[in-house]
């Protein structure tokens, strides 16, 4: 396995391929995404441990969408069983993925804890399912500061886990090394990833404008909330699908050609 350096414009290509692949198998990919989201939502309902367990399985969800994208590129219909089959077919099995998920949960809670030092725990309380305290309304900037701190600190954590599930699954790399290689890949190809992020930001803005326009034309204000939610979830599914292409182009497997006796001579 070796790192590949790609031009910045490749980030736009990843977005386009993710959207095109989604529309090749929209029902399968959307169904798999909503199934995973529903499962994580149900697990998170368990008091205290629910959110932690859900975070442990987030890398598995990302891997499932990447594996489904790979199947869609081959013209196949990815079924929900791909979640289990992908884990069973991995080079090291289920244990490394659980370790990777545990590392993500720990990293996430550390980031959330640091943000609590900024705003007194208001953002963490809201994120974990609580409500904004009455005194928080007097200092809205404090909650925003905690949210901003969380977003800034969560970025390197996200980059570390960007390719980690795929590296563990398809290349048999240990969870610790996969985090390091993922960070290196994102840094070395930072131009492409910046373009990738900016392009998706533009897509989200366009989706929001379309929803608002339809709400005005149909004279249905309620459509704005429902339509925005549905389109946001579908766009998120396309985003997760496009991650596969960023992995595919960032890493390559070295191929060793066997020489024939004549070639050796």
């Amino acid at each position: 396995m070796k790192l590949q350096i790609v031009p910045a414009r490749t980030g736009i290509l990843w977005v386009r391929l993710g959207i095109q692949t989604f529309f090749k198998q929209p029902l399968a990919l959307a169904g798999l995404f909503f199934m995973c989201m529903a499962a994580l939502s149900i697990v998170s309902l368990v008091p205290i441990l629910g959110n932690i367990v859900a975070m442990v399985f987030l890398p598995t969800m990302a891997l499932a969408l990447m594996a489904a994208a790979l199947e869609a590129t081959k013209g196949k219909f990815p079924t929900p069983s791909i979640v289990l089959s992908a884990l069973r077919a991995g080079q090291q099995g289920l244990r490394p993925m659980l370790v990777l998920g545990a590392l993500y949960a720990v990293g996430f809670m550390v980031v959330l804890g640091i943000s609590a030092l900024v705003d007194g725990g208001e953002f963490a309380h809201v994120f974990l399912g609580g409500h904004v305290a009455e005194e928080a309304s007097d200092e809205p900037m404090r909650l925003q500061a905690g949210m901003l701190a969380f977003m800034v600190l969560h970025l390197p954590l996200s980059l570390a886990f960007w390719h980690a599930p795929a590296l563990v699954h398809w290349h048999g790399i240990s969870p610790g090394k996969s985090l390091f290689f993922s960070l290196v890949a994102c840094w070395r190809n930072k131009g492409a990833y910046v373009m990738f992020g900016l392009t998706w930001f533009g897509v989200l803005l366009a989706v929001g404008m379309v929803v608002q326009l339809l709400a005005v034309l149909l004279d249905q204000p309620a459509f704005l909330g429902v339509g925005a939610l549905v389109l946001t979830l579908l766009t998120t599914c396309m985003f997760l699908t496009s991650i596969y292409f960023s992995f595919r182009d960032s890493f390559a497997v070295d191929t060793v050609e066997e020489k024939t006796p004549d070639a050796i001579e």
Side-chain angles (χ1 to χ4, degrees):
M1 188 271 294
K2 64 179 181 180
L3 175 66
Q4 294 190 133
I5 308 300
V6 298
R9 64 178 181 275
T10 308
I12 302 175
L13 176 63
W14 294 338
V15 175
R16 181 163 60 85
L17 289 174
I19 296 174
Q20 290 177 345
T21 302
F22 174 81
F23 282 106
K24 286 182 179 179
Q25 296 289 354
L27 293 178
L29 292 172
L32 178 62
F33 172 72
F34 284 117
M35 183 193 74
C36 291
M37 288 294 295
L40 294 179
S41 298
I42 293 173
V43 171
S44 64
L45 294 176
V46 179
I48 303 177
L49 294 179
N51 287 314
I52 297 177
V53 174
M55 285 186 285
V56 169
F57 283 97
L58 276 177
T60 301
M61 173 184 170
L63 174 62
L65 266 296
M66 293 177 70
L70 175 59
E71 290 294 297
T73 59
K74 297 177 181 179
K76 299 180 180 179
F77 185 88
T79 63
S81 62
I82 197 170
V83 178
L84 297 177
S85 63
L87 290 174
R88 287 197 299 266
Q91 295 189 23
Q92 298 184 37
L94 177 61
R95 183 176 177 275
M97 286 301 301
L98 294 179
V99 171
L100 195 65
L103 291 174
Y104 178 77
V106 170
F108 189 95
M109 296 306 295
V110 169
V111 170
L112 201 61
I114 296 175
S115 73
L117 299 177
V118 177
D119 66 353
E122 291 179 6
F123 174 73
H125 180 69
V126 173
F127 185 87
L128 294 175
H131 300 285
V132 180
E134 293 181 1
E135 59 270 17
S137 60
D138 299 330
E139 299 183 44
M141 293 301 295
R142 190 169 64 176
L143 178 62
Q144 294 178 10
M147 185 184 304
L148 179 60
F150 174 82
M151 292 174 62
V152 171
L153 293 172
H154 189 263
L155 178 60
L157 181 68
S158 298
L159 296 179
F161 283 87
W162 192 270
H163 300 301
L167 289 171
V168 168
H169 177 69
W170 279 306
H171 292 288
I173 297 175
S174 65
K177 289 183 178 180
S178 70
L179 297 176
F180 173 75
F181 291 152
S182 179
L183 274 174
V184 171
C186 291
W187 174 252
R188 294 292 301 276
N189 286 311
K190 52 185 176 294
Y193 286 97
V194 168
M195 292 301 299
F196 179 81
L198 291 176
T199 304
W200 270 118
F201 181 73
V203 171
L204 287 174
L205 285 180
V207 169
M209 293 176 63
V210 169
V211 172
Q212 290 183 351
L213 180 60
L214 289 176
V216 172
L217 293 177
L218 297 175
D219 194 22
Q220 294 291 334
F223 176 82
L224 185 60
V226 176
L229 177 61
V230 173
L231 288 179
T232 299
L233 290 174
L234 291 178
T235 304
T236 303
C237 181
M238 297 178 198
F239 170 80
L240 293 173
T241 302
S242 65
I243 291 179
Y244 165 73
F245 298 99
S246 69
F247 168 75
R248 183 197 66 179
D249 292 343
S250 295
F251 296 93
V253 179
D254 287 322
T255 57
V256 180
E257 296 182 0
E258 295 184 359
K259 295 183 179 181
T260 62
D262 293 338
I264 296 176
E265 294 176 1

